[in-house]
Amino acid sequence: MSAGAGPAHEAVDDPVVLAPDPAPCRVVVCRDCCCGSPKVIGVDHAAQTARLRAEVPVRVSACLDVCEQANVIVVQPSAAGRAAGARPVWLGLVNDPDAAEDIAAWARAGGPGVAPRPEILDLYAITPPRRRTAP
């Protein structure tokens, strides 16, 4: 063997190729005419959105048509959650920082269909508006 050459059967570290994570749980926050506006007093809307963004992908939406429930947040299931039959969970009157923390923790854990919804979030669950159909 020449100088500087390694053993004939030197182990080679093959890089492990990991599959990309499936689509994560996502959150939609309404930030339009009522939600995210000064009409809902005492809420730091930017901080609420930033806190959720720190945990999961967040989409800011125009009016979700449930203004009487402002601030509205929709937790959409991940690919795994959808495969398990989960549907989006609509939450209204999310005006307390603790509620946003509970939503962030649930979404981080996998959200609908993957992780059980914390019982405290049952207090915020609302029925989504019906889709309008053309006459």
Side-chain angles (χ1 to χ4, degrees):
M1 200 179 320
S2 65
H9 297 290
E10 188 172 327
V12 176
D13 290 325
D14 289 331
V16 176
V17 178
L18 300 175
D21 290 335
C25 172
R26 296 179 186 273
V27 173
V28 176
V29 294
C30 184
R31 293 291 185 257
D32 199 18
C33 57
C34 296
C35 299
S37 78
K39 291 180 184 179
V40 181
I41 57 173
V43 178
D44 186 340
H45 304 288
Q48 184 184 66
T49 302
R51 175 66 189 108
L52 293 166
R53 274 198 172 120
E55 300 297 335
V56 293
V58 172
R59 182 173 66 90
V60 174
S61 173
C63 187
L64 292 174
D65 203 25
V66 282
C67 295
E68 67 281 359
Q69 300 291 329
N71 285 323
V72 175
I73 294 176
V74 181
V75 183
Q76 297 178 323
S78 64
R82 285 190 305 277
R87 307 280 303 150
V89 174
W90 286 60
L91 304 165
L93 301 174
V94 184
N95 302 320
D96 182 318
D98 291 338
E101 283 298 322
D102 292 332
I103 294 167
W106 180 42
R108 181 181 60 244
V114 174
R117 181 170 65 198
E119 288 183 20
I120 192 71
L121 292 182
D122 291 345
L123 298 173
Y124 298 92
I126 62 173
T127 302
R130 291 183 176 262
R131 291 181 185 230
R132 296 182 184 150
T133 57

